Amino acid sequence: MRIWELKDVIAFDKLGQQMHDFISELYPICRSITGEGVRETLRIVQGQISLELHEVPTSTDVLDWTIPREWNIKDAYIMNSNGERVVDFRESNLHVMGYSVPVKEKMRLSELRKHLHTLPEQPDWIPYRTSYYNEDWAFCISQNQLLELDDDEYEVCIDSSLEDGYLTYGEYYLQGQTLEEVLISSHTCHPSMCNDNLSGIALVTFLAKYISTSSHRYSYRFLFAPATIGSLTWLASNEENVHRIKHGLVIACVGDPGSVTYKKSRRGDAEIDRVAKHVLRHYTEDYQIRDFSPYGYDERQYCSPGFNLTVGSLTRSPNGEFDEYHTSADNLDLVQPMYLADSFIKVLTILDVLEDNKTYMNLFPKGEPQLGKRGLYRKVGGPDIDMDPLAVLWVLNLSDGQHSLLSIADRADIKFDQIRNAANVLLDHNLLEEIPS
Ligand code: ZN
């Protein structure tokens, strides 16, 4: 039985808009790897799903790392000698380099320039910069803003704090029929940018909400954590349980017009890798599949050699490969409901195949069973049964307890749905028996 109905296109269109609205709500919040912005974001996620928030104190050792002090910011500006804010944090939180230490000083432009980041090749855009593990302060402004700064004396203020506090992450667990888990992870540490990382937060939130209403074989663990330090923290706190993770996906950058990109797990031939490849090949015209590389998002941690989890990564344009990446142009116009919905369908289709990728035994393996006397011969493909006769023959032939439905689908070069439909009809006629995994 299909557990998720994927054909309800109208509902999925609405879902794209809902995800976009959700991104719009989260967009103004100033997030970082710690601080109130992350808490506020996760509280808004709690409006959709029963997310559990974890607070891990500053200075806690996590694997080879240490939880940093908590960073918060109230205000920041650069003010000219006329008392005008020429750069104002209230207009864009990207104006302050993330984790900037507090500062309140007067300085000439020549001195201030040492603390200004711009993007000369995109003169209207504000770059996104951070300095988490190195105490510093800076402003990020557009190149055009820089050109307008006169040789004046400026008051520079960053009203931030770096104090002992907590790293906050969110976790939502949905138990299935088995304790074997699917891990779905998204990062939460970016301020006002939409594709990286709000599109991932939105997709994972609505995915969790959707799956919570379905019956599912696997248990699902949805993780919302700051990049790198957050997944390290989760791994450090859950080392004894990670063996339950059978499949995983890191989800980010899923709202832009680029084609869907799947990056394989470090193992390269894990079930999630084969499922993603099948789904993209059969259900998508334009896609990319890449081998694992130790660059990107939190798959770097999940696929580190000491864990080597079967976690792949799904994006549209990968990190660093779209012009708007890590700039103010990664905004509400870049991400569009149709791309969010399309990404959602791809992820759900991957999970749908994983859920039903079972292995069967043909109960009449000596010769072909006679389909005619069971009413299956030539009836196939009729209005009542969506069944491909070739798929039936493949399922009967390869259901020897050694081939999962996905491996049959790949071997036959037939869509998983057709193979599954054939298996379901054969099960209904007592021609197959499921082999427990
Ligand atoms: Zn990023």
Side-chain angles (χ1 to χ4, degrees):
M1 290 290 291
R2 308 199 60 163
I3 56 164
W4 293 311
E5 182 52 70
L6 301 174
K7 291 175 183 160
D8 193 353
V9 174
I10 295 167
F12 280 108
D13 283 354
K14 277 188 197 152
L15 193 63
Q17 188 58 50
Q18 282 177 336
M19 285 190 276
H20 197 271
D21 292 346
F22 192 63
I23 290 171
S24 306
E25 187 180 354
L26 298 173
Y27 181 57
I29 300 171
C30 184
R31 280 162 293 270
S32 186
I33 53 173
T34 62
E36 273 310 312
V38 179
R39 284 189 197 96
E40 190 183 347
T41 299
L42 297 181
R43 278 186 216 115
I44 292 172
V45 173
Q46 282 179 321
Q48 302 291 333
I49 54 174
S50 315
L51 192 70
E52 187 184 345
L53 264 52
H54 297 262
E55 299 277 2
V56 185
T58 300
S59 300
T60 304
D61 289 329
V62 290
L63 305 175
D64 195 43
W65 297 56
T66 306
I67 304 278
R69 287 182 292 169
E70 183 176 323
W71 186 70
N72 284 289
I73 180 163
K74 293 196 190 96
D75 191 15
Y77 57 83
I78 299 172
M79 191 179 279
N80 65 18
S81 55
N82 295 328
E84 297 158 343
R85 287 186 178 214
V86 291
V87 176
D88 191 348
F89 175 76
R90 295 174 303 192
E91 285 177 10
S92 169
N93 56 42
L94 294 180
H95 277 317
V96 175
M97 179 172 75
Y99 260 69
S100 282
V101 295
V103 59
K104 187 150 190 184
E105 280 178 41
K106 288 194 172 176
M107 60 185 69
R108 303 294 306 183
L109 180 61
S110 56
E111 183 63 23
L112 175 59
R113 283 189 78 127
K114 297 173 191 164
H115 295 275
L116 297 179
H117 295 287
T118 65
L119 279 176
E121 64 277 20
Q122 293 288 358
D124 290 326
W125 298 358
I126 306 165
Y128 165 55
R129 295 281 185 278
T130 61
S131 182
Y132 300 134
Y133 303 102
N134 194 4
E135 283 199 7
D136 197 4
W137 66 268
F139 283 86
C140 305
I141 62 174
S142 72
Q143 180 70 15
N144 288 336
Q145 267 179 305
L146 176 65
L147 295 178
E148 282 170 19
L149 292 181
D150 300 320
D151 182 20
D152 193 359
E153 185 180 61
Y154 292 95
E155 183 181 309
V156 173
C157 169
I158 297 179
D159 186 5
S160 64
S161 62
L162 257 178
E163 293 164 349
D164 283 355
Y166 298 88
L167 175 144
T168 314
Y169 71 88
E171 196 172 12
Y172 179 50
Y173 178 73
L174 279 174
Q175 189 167 332
Q177 293 153 17
T178 140
L179 292 179
E180 293 183 337
E181 288 181 14
V182 179
L183 174 71
I184 307 282
S185 177
S186 72
H187 64 287
T188 55
C189 49
H190 288 35
S192 291
M193 283 171 289
C194 291
N195 203 32
D196 181 17
N197 53 197
L198 291 177
S199 67
I201 296 174
L203 191 149
V204 174
T205 300
F206 282 83
L207 182 70
K209 193 174 172 180
Y210 192 87
I211 293 177
S212 72
T213 63
S214 317
S215 73
H216 41 92
R217 174 160 68 116
Y218 287 112
S219 296
Y220 285 81
R221 191 175 296 280
F222 301 91
L223 197 57
F224 300 78
T228 309
I229 190 70
S231 52
L232 289 164
T233 301
W234 185 83
L235 285 165
S237 330
N238 292 278
E239 205 167 339
E240 69 281 9
N241 295 323
V242 295
H243 66 275
R244 290 194 189 140
I245 296 171
K246 294 298 170 198
H247 319 285
L249 274 179
V250 170
I251 293 182
C253 301
V254 284
D256 68 285
S259 58
V260 173
T261 304
Y262 176 77
K263 188 174 91 177
K264 294 178 186 174
S265 73
R266 181 174 180 270
R267 301 190 195 187
D269 61 349
E271 191 176 341
I272 183 79
D273 300 324
R274 287 181 284 120
V275 168
K277 187 177 168 191
H278 180 91
V279 167
L280 294 185
R281 188 166 123 68
H282 287 275
Y283 298 79
T284 302
E285 287 181 1
D286 194 13
Y287 65 93
Q288 289 188 58
I289 293 179
R290 297 186 178 186
D291 285 330
F292 177 77
S293 68
Y295 178 69
Y297 294 109
D298 287 317
E299 66 277 10
R300 290 156 56 176
Q301 314 311 329
Y302 303 127
C303 296
S304 55
F307 290 104
N308 201 18
L309 299 178
T310 49
V311 175
S313 140
L314 189 129
T315 60
R316 296 186 79 87
S317 297
N319 62 305
E321 297 186 27
F322 53 102
D323 290 345
E324 300 86 350
Y325 176 74
H326 280 190
T327 74
S328 55
D330 181 355
N331 59 24
L332 290 164
D333 295 326
L334 177 68
V335 298
Q336 289 297 319
M338 61 186 287
Y339 305 126
L340 292 163
D342 180 69
S343 304
F344 186 95
I345 292 169
K346 299 287 169 1
V347 172
L348 200 56
T349 307
I350 288 171
L351 298 179
D352 183 45
V353 173
L354 273 177
E355 284 279 335
D356 282 349
N357 185 26
K358 296 176 183 173
T359 302
Y360 298 93
M361 185 70 89
N362 177 348
L363 296 175
F364 294 83
K366 294 183 176 172
E368 287 179 356
Q370 194 184 350
L371 299 176
K373 70 181 183 190
R374 294 174 173 89
L376 294 174
Y377 190 66
R378 290 192 185 279
K379 192 176 172 183
V380 295
D384 300 329
I385 307 174
D386 179 19
M387 192 173 75
D388 172 356
L390 195 56
V392 171
L393 297 180
W394 274 109
V395 171
L396 283 170
N397 189 280
L398 288 180
S399 287
D400 54 2
Q402 305 295 318
H403 296 86
S404 70
L405 292 187
L406 178 70
S407 60
I408 297 172
D410 281 338
R411 174 84 178 269
D413 198 21
I414 292 174
K415 264 187 173 187
F416 185 84
D417 296 73
Q418 291 297 325
I419 293 292
R420 172 171 50 191
N421 289 348
N424 285 338
V425 171
L426 294 171
L427 268 176
D428 287 346
H429 288 81
N430 301 314
L431 290 166
L432 291 184
E433 178 179 76
E434 187 182 341
I435 304 290
S437 54

